[in-house]
Amino acid sequence: MIVSAIKEAETNTSGEIRVHIDDTCEDAYKKAVEVFYALGMDKTAAKNGVLIYVACTSKVFAIVGDKGINDIVPENFWQDISAHIHECFSTGRFAEGIADAVRMTGEKLKYYFPYQSGDVNEQPDEISYRK
């Protein structure tokens, strides 16, 4: 479900979307930034990588966008996506919430980073997990 959502979302945008699932963490945003760099999400040509980080046991998540995104989008760009994830998680719809967030991210990014003919998938579409 989630990998399919990533593939679908990336047909509309040159942005690169990844999902990372962890077990626990104390500070979701700090850990998400750490994972963002560890996965090489900052290596995309247009600096338009996005990581959706979820720590299941801790029941926290964070969305991290690269510099190319954050330099041009409004300050509250991730707010509606975060609210949707929170709503889904609060009712136990974890996979649905993540997949929806991925699709919403692709939809929002296509305005700023539309899919271009010959676009190369610079990041894997698979979910990464804590090792």
Side-chain angles (χ1 to χ4, degrees), residues 10-114:
E10 289 184 354
T11 63
N12 295 315
T13 178
S14 64
E16 295 292 334
I17 304 165
R18 290 194 71 178
V19 172
H20 181 84
I21 306 295
D22 211 336
D23 186 27
T24 62
C25 80
E26 291 182 26
D27 182 332
Y29 186 77
K30 180 179 177 185
K31 184 66 175 184
V33 169
E34 198 177 288
V35 170
F36 183 90
Y37 287 105
L39 293 175
M41 295 294 297
D42 60 321
K43 305 289 188 221
T44 62
K47 300 290 184 199
N48 60 352
V50 176
L51 176 68
I52 299 173
Y53 172 88
V54 180
C56 297
T57 302
S58 300
K59 298 180 180 171
V60 294
F61 67 90
I63 303 171
V64 177
D66 205 355
K67 183 176 176 24
I69 295 170
N70 294 332
D71 283 353
I72 61 173
V73 300
E75 188 175 312
N76 61 351
F77 187 72
W78 305 113
Q79 190 172 8
D80 60 334
I81 298 171
S82 293
H84 185 75
I85 293 173
H86 181 71
E87 177 188 332
C88 287
F89 283 15
S90 69
T91 58
R93 297 174 295 140
F94 300 104
E96 180 184 337
I98 296 168
D100 286 352
V102 166
R103 284 189 211 76
M104 291 170 73
T105 298
E107 193 63 32
K108 289 181 78 154
L109 285 179
K110 79 178 184 182
Y111 176 78
Y112 299 96
F113 298 95

